[in-house]
Amino acid sequence: MIALLTFVVTVGFAKKKLNVNVVSGDVSVVCQEGKTAAVEFNYDDLIIEGKPAQEYLANQSANHLKDWPEDNRKVATFFLEKWNEKNKDGLQLLEKGAKADYKMLIHVTYLDLGSTAGAMWGLKRTDGGCIVTATITISDQRGNRICKLQVNELKGDGQKFWDIGTNEVNRRSYAYEKMAKQVIGLAKEKK
């Protein structure tokens, strides 16, 4: 009984693994109060589950290909809202093209969109979750890079407790939310 309790406490207090690391520059820019960054997502050369994005989407259905731009907009909006909610005392994000102090470019290079069945019937929150690999670059208005981050195979939640009918857009949103939390957490740790 004591061994089991020790294991549970150790696992509960273990530091969570970060899937985000600093490649170069000063990530503390994320902690600057009163500053803003226009966020832009880039999906050039994206691989989805081992195939080029357009090929993967076309093989799924005509709707997947048609809905892709709108799905990207929904996910970007969710990311922006969650970032601003979690980083109230730091860098706030604005939509792409907005006048801001900085530009944040998130180049997503790999996605595994997860599984509805895994999300609904899995035992862990991350079962069926989306996996994302990306680089995040924050630059000033002149294009000078402030910092570059690497996101490596970050797996988001498969569903939230209120989310009964999870779908690819929701699973991507949850992975991007986790990405925001980890970037903000890393910046505050380095501050």
Side-chain angles (χ1 to χ4, degrees):
M1 182 69 159
I2 292 175
L4 177 62
L5 184 57
T6 303
F7 174 75
V8 169
V9 169
T10 303
V11 170
F13 288 108
K15 189 172 182 175
K16 292 189 179 199
K17 178 185 176 246
L18 286 181
N19 300 86
V20 177
N21 59 58
V22 178
V23 174
S24 63
D26 185 7
V27 71
S28 69
V29 67
V30 168
C31 300
Q32 289 184 354
E33 193 169 354
K35 297 290 186 178
T36 57
V39 66
E40 176 182 347
F41 283 85
N42 179 302
Y43 294 98
D44 291 349
D45 304 317
L46 172 64
I47 301 296
I48 302 178
E49 298 178 21
K51 295 181 180 174
Q54 295 303 308
E55 180 184 332
Y56 173 87
L57 294 167
N59 287 339
Q60 295 301 305
S61 73
N63 284 343
H64 274 78
L65 196 54
K66 178 179 71 76
D67 294 343
W68 181 248
E70 179 61 17
D71 292 348
N72 289 338
R73 189 197 63 73
K74 288 177 185 174
V75 172
T77 299
F78 188 84
F79 175 83
L80 187 146
E81 289 170 358
K82 291 302 179 183
W83 175 286
N84 288 341
E85 181 183 299
K86 308 254 182 256
N87 201 33
K88 287 183 181 168
D89 58 345
L91 187 70
Q92 293 290 288
L93 298 183
L94 305 173
E95 291 184 7
K96 174 185 171 183
K99 185 170 171 50
D101 301 298
Y102 301 104
K103 177 181 178 182
M104 177 185 287
L105 177 65
I106 302 173
H107 183 198
V108 180
T109 55
Y110 177 81
L111 285 172
D112 179 320
L113 298 173
S115 158
T116 299
M120 290 181 73
W121 305 110
L123 300 176
K124 298 183 298 187
R125 282 190 333 202
T126 57
D127 286 345
C130 174
I131 299 170
V132 61
T133 296
T135 56
I136 301 173
T137 306
I138 302 175
S139 304
D140 66 18
Q141 285 301 320
R142 288 184 238 128
N144 299 315
R145 185 168 51 198
I146 308 295
C147 76
K148 182 176 182 178
L149 305 165
Q150 180 65 45
V151 180
N152 292 307
E153 297 183 358
L154 182 144
K155 187 172 187 178
D157 290 346
Q159 65 177 342
K160 301 286 186 178
F161 66 90
W162 66 84
D163 179 18
I164 296 170
T166 190
N167 61 42
E168 290 175 1
V169 173
N170 289 353
R171 291 192 301 270
R172 275 179 65 202
S173 296
Y174 303 151
Y176 287 22
E177 176 183 10
K178 186 173 182 179
M179 180 169 56
K181 286 180 188 175
Q182 286 198 11
V183 170
I184 293 164
L186 180 63
K188 289 182 177 178
E189 191 178 282
K190 301 275 185 188
K191 185 173 148 182

